[in-house]
Amino acid sequence: REYLENALDILTYLTFFQEDLSAEMWETFPLIYTAFDQWAFDYLYLMVPAIENFIGKSTQTFLGGFALLPSGRVKYIDLVFSMVKKTLTEKRSSESEIRKGLSLYMTVLHNCRGQVDNYLPVINDEILGNLNTEAVNTRIAIFKILGSALYYNPKLQLDELERRGATKNIFTQWIQDYESMETWLSRKITVLGFSSILLLPTSSLPPAVQSGLPQLIEILTKIMERMQEDAQKVPEEEDNNEEVDNDIEDDVRGFGEDEDVRTAEDDAYLNAFSNVRDDIARFLIGDEWGDEDDDDDDYISPIDDIDTLEFYAGSLKSALDREPMIHSILAPEVVSSYQRLVVAASGEKQENDGMR
């Protein structure tokens, strides 16, 4: 136990930088599960990155491989699902640990598209019961899984929700919470999930989705607009970074006798310290440490290669071309926003094609 943290750090490093994971490397996979199951439950945060690397780098081995445990041969994917279930059911699990465990479902859906249909019922069974939590970030983590499942296979996922009689409640809560989605990943997955629904004929959708289609498209479009606005802010941040670099260069030149000896690096350190101090204060009054981030910025999966704007524009265009009557149920401002986004998508595509 004393060296487990270092061992997991090294394993994460090795699995991240190797393109092909050897059979010897896979021998460590069951050891992670055994440690978690027997004595290292509280090391989940350090285990998940390595597990995600195993799934992403050697997907077919993950899906087809077995671990030899005292209880017999167990599929690697079943070990992961067992870890998530234990995290969800253990009373000692914090909300942040629950979200970390749930992210493994998301990783499986993203990397194993079309290959884990029989696990969709299990995923839904485990996550839907946790959607009534008061922790908004945990609800958003569940919506990321639901969005991933809709992108994985919209028909199958809607069937799962409908079979449980949960469709209306799920989408009602999702729409209520969408403004709390502050990370790029949560917005992107919601756009991918909602857009995937539009690829299905309206007649095949559950009644609750059919009746709520105008609102679903409206929220989808608002999220996409927000993502585009955020994307436009990136150059401003880069300009700010250049200003900081210039400040550092000025600092190297020295200070006058009547100037404070304080550099841009000093300011950055003080700001970082201030943020940590605020985190500590929140932790001491009962909030969870690092509750805002949940490592979304570090998450890597095949959906990184999907152009969100292009997927949104293509899906809605497909729906409108297939069923022109959808156009008549949309509010004029939604149609205008969609048209602006289509123009933006076309411009980005031309720009990207020109760079190839």
Side-chain angles (χ1 to χ4, degrees):
R1 186 183 182 96
E2 182 180 353
Y3 301 107
L4 181 60
E5 182 174 343
N6 291 336
L8 289 170
D9 284 342
I10 293 171
L11 185 60
T12 299
Y13 179 87
L14 292 174
T15 52
F16 181 82
F17 286 102
Q18 290 188 34
E19 289 303 318
D20 187 28
L21 303 184
S22 65
E24 290 77 16
M25 187 68 73
W26 272 98
E27 289 178 4
T28 65
F29 193 84
L31 301 180
I32 299 175
Y33 168 78
T34 301
F36 172 84
D37 188 54
Q38 295 183 3
W39 50 270
F41 177 86
D42 52 342
Y43 282 79
L44 177 70
Y45 258 95
L46 295 172
M47 295 176 176
V48 167
I51 294 172
E52 290 176 338
N53 290 341
F54 274 108
I55 297 172
K57 292 297 181 71
S58 297
T59 304
Q60 296 310 311
T61 301
F62 169 70
L63 291 172
F66 289 83
L68 295 177
L69 301 179
S71 58
R73 280 166 39 109
V74 183
K75 295 181 71 173
Y76 289 145
I77 188 172
D78 290 333
L79 295 182
V80 169
F81 273 61
S82 177
M83 291 177 70
V84 179
K85 182 172 184 176
K86 183 173 181 177
T87 304
L88 293 175
T89 55
E90 277 278 352
K91 292 183 179 179
R92 55 181 163 158
S93 296
S94 67
E95 289 295 332
S96 59
E97 286 173 329
I98 288 173
R99 291 194 292 274
K100 197 67 176 178
L102 286 172
S103 70
L104 290 172
Y105 281 157
M106 196 166 61
T107 299
V108 170
L109 290 169
H110 293 174
N111 286 279
C112 309
R113 198 173 182 202
Q115 302 179 81
V116 289
D117 292 5
N118 56 320
Y119 283 92
L120 269 184
V122 179
I123 292 173
N124 281 275
D125 286 342
E126 295 298 337
I127 66 174
L128 295 184
N130 288 272
L131 197 55
N132 58 2
T133 177
E134 294 183 3
V136 177
N137 284 346
T138 300
R139 291 203 302 270
I140 290 174
I142 293 172
F143 290 134
K144 286 193 291 188
I145 298 170
L146 290 170
S148 300
L150 286 169
Y151 173 69
Y152 173 88
N153 189 318
K155 180 68 169 65
L156 280 181
Q157 177 56 26
L158 289 174
D159 287 346
E160 288 297 326
L161 296 179
E162 195 69 1
R163 187 161 62 85
R164 293 167 173 77
T167 310
K168 184 176 181 179
N169 290 339
I170 292 294
F171 281 96
T172 298
Q173 187 66 60
W174 204 337
I175 288 171
Q176 287 176 358
D177 283 342
Y178 90 93
E179 289 188 348
S180 298
M181 295 179 182
E182 298 179 352
T183 66
W184 181 269
L185 183 63
S186 60
R187 295 174 194 163
K188 175 166 186 167
I189 292 178
T190 296
V191 169
L192 295 181
F194 283 10
S195 297
S196 296
I197 293 174
L198 300 178
L199 299 174
L200 301 174
T202 303
S203 58
S204 70
L205 300 177
V209 178
Q210 286 188 38
S211 61
L213 198 59
Q215 188 179 20
L216 185 145
I217 294 175
E218 178 184 354
I219 298 302
L220 167 61
T221 302
K222 284 183 176 180
I223 296 174
M224 193 65 253
E225 280 188 309
R226 188 174 175 185
M227 292 181 71
Q228 280 299 102
E229 290 170 2
D230 288 348
Q232 298 303 319
K233 295 175 183 177
V234 172
E236 295 179 11
E237 294 176 1
E238 290 176 353
D239 288 342
N240 290 336
N241 289 336
E242 289 178 8
E243 290 177 10
V244 171
D245 291 339
N246 290 334
D247 287 342
I248 292 174
E249 289 177 7
D250 291 340
D251 293 336
V252 172
R253 299 189 191 104
F255 299 88
E257 292 182 0
D258 58 344
E259 293 180 313
D260 290 336
V261 183
R262 182 164 156 181
T263 68
E265 289 175 315
D266 294 332
D267 290 335
Y269 173 81
L270 291 171
N271 288 334
F273 180 78
S274 177
N275 292 335
V276 170
R277 183 185 60 201
D278 291 341
D279 284 342
I280 293 172
R282 287 196 298 270
F283 177 73
L284 290 175
I285 64 172
D287 285 351
E288 289 190 45
W289 187 276
D291 203 35
E292 298 168 32
D293 270 336
D294 276 356
D295 302 326
D296 272 4
D297 291 342
D298 299 326
Y299 184 74
I300 299 173
S301 90
I303 69 167
D304 295 340
D305 298 328
I306 300 171
D307 187 309
T308 315
L309 178 59
E310 186 177 329
F311 190 84
Y312 156 83
S315 299
L316 189 46
K317 182 179 185 303
S318 174
L320 293 171
D321 289 346
R322 184 185 65 242
E323 301 172 65
M325 49 85 62
I326 293 177
H327 193 284
S328 64
I329 66 174
L330 299 178
E333 57 269 22
V334 175
V335 174
S336 297
S337 296
Y338 161 67
Q339 290 171 342
R340 286 195 298 271
L341 289 168
V342 167
V343 172
S346 177
E348 288 187 8
K349 188 175 188 307
Q350 290 178 3
E351 184 178 343
N352 292 335
D353 290 344
M355 294 172 63
R356 290 172 186 159

